[in-house]
Amino acid sequence: MYPELYQYLLQYKKLPVPGIGTFLLERSPARFDFPNKQVLPPQYAFTMDPVANVPKGGFFKWLGMALGISSMDAVVQFNDFAFELKKQLEKGHTIDWKGVGQVRKGLGEEIRFTPHEIQLKEAPVPAVRVLREKAEHTVRVGEDERTAAEMELFLAKTDAKKSYWWAWALALGLLAVL
């Protein structure tokens, strides 16, 4: 039953086992590695929450289809599996669930979970800034739409230097009148 439950855990990311706890598949998002200019892939880790709810009805229908039995038989087999797992833990055995982790009884009668490391074959993605010069796109300027090239020409225009000869003439005229 371990392979089917592993498949369910990967697909639905949550598997409650009565009397043991809820196994979770948690995803941490992709991270930027700025010094090496790359984006690292997301990481996954198995954890266990000590609170175990009863699996929902859809779980037993899924398990029945995976095992090729009816939903009622799946309920019975899963409950027997959970009971046997709890009994082995109470005897002090360590249960090694291949691909997920080890479950054992700790001090104080709590159930301890040591996850296995998930090995994914995803490679980091290079993150290089792309600069596109002379790219044509429209820009909204007020009520008008203009291309980027038109705006470059408009903004590149230098205003002609204004001549202030008349100010000099006015100043000399005022001096002559005085």
Side-chain angles (χ1 to χ4, degrees), residues 4-175:
E4 289 81 14
L5 294 178
Y6 179 74
Q7 184 180 3
Y8 182 85
L9 182 58
L10 290 180
Q11 187 172 357
Y12 294 100
K13 296 172 184 37
K14 186 176 186 179
L15 175 66
V17 179
I20 306 296
T22 301
F23 293 94
L24 303 165
L25 177 61
E26 295 180 345
R27 178 185 184 268
S28 63
R31 302 176 321 280
F32 290 105
D33 183 10
F34 289 107
N36 297 324
K37 295 182 180 177
Q38 59 186 356
V39 178
L40 301 174
Q43 293 181 335
Y44 296 89
F46 289 110
T47 59
M48 189 183 83
D49 185 13
V51 177
N53 299 325
V54 177
K56 301 212 179 349
F59 167 72
F60 295 114
K61 185 185 289 186
W62 183 93
L63 186 61
M65 289 184 66
L67 294 172
I69 56 177
S70 71
S71 297
M72 294 304 290
D73 290 338
V75 171
V76 171
Q77 279 193 14
F78 181 72
N79 287 336
D80 289 344
F81 169 79
F83 179 74
E84 186 63 33
L85 197 65
K86 179 90 171 154
K87 194 163 82 173
Q88 286 181 3
L89 287 174
E90 287 176 357
K91 288 181 183 177
H93 295 293
T94 299
I95 293 141
D96 189 14
W97 187 356
K98 184 179 177 185
V100 176
Q102 291 182 342
V103 182
R104 66 181 183 287
K105 195 125 193 167
L107 299 174
E109 300 298 314
E110 80 274 1
I111 295 174
R112 311 279 278 158
F113 176 68
T114 307
H116 288 192
E117 193 170 317
I118 299 174
Q119 298 294 330
L120 295 177
K121 303 294 183 203
E122 295 182 43
V125 177
V128 181
R129 177 182 275 181
V130 177
L131 298 176
R132 292 181 173 86
E133 294 189 23
K134 306 294 182 200
E136 282 295 320
H137 59 278
T138 58
V139 178
R140 187 159 180 103
V141 180
E143 294 293 319
D144 301 329
E145 283 190 11
R146 297 185 181 172
T147 65
E150 288 174 349
M151 286 307 297
E152 281 182 23
L153 288 174
F154 178 75
L155 295 173
K157 287 182 185 175
T158 57
D159 292 332
K161 191 166 188 170
K162 295 184 179 180
S163 176
Y164 293 104
W165 63 267
W166 56 270
W168 288 102
L170 182 65
L172 285 175
L174 284 174
L175 279 174

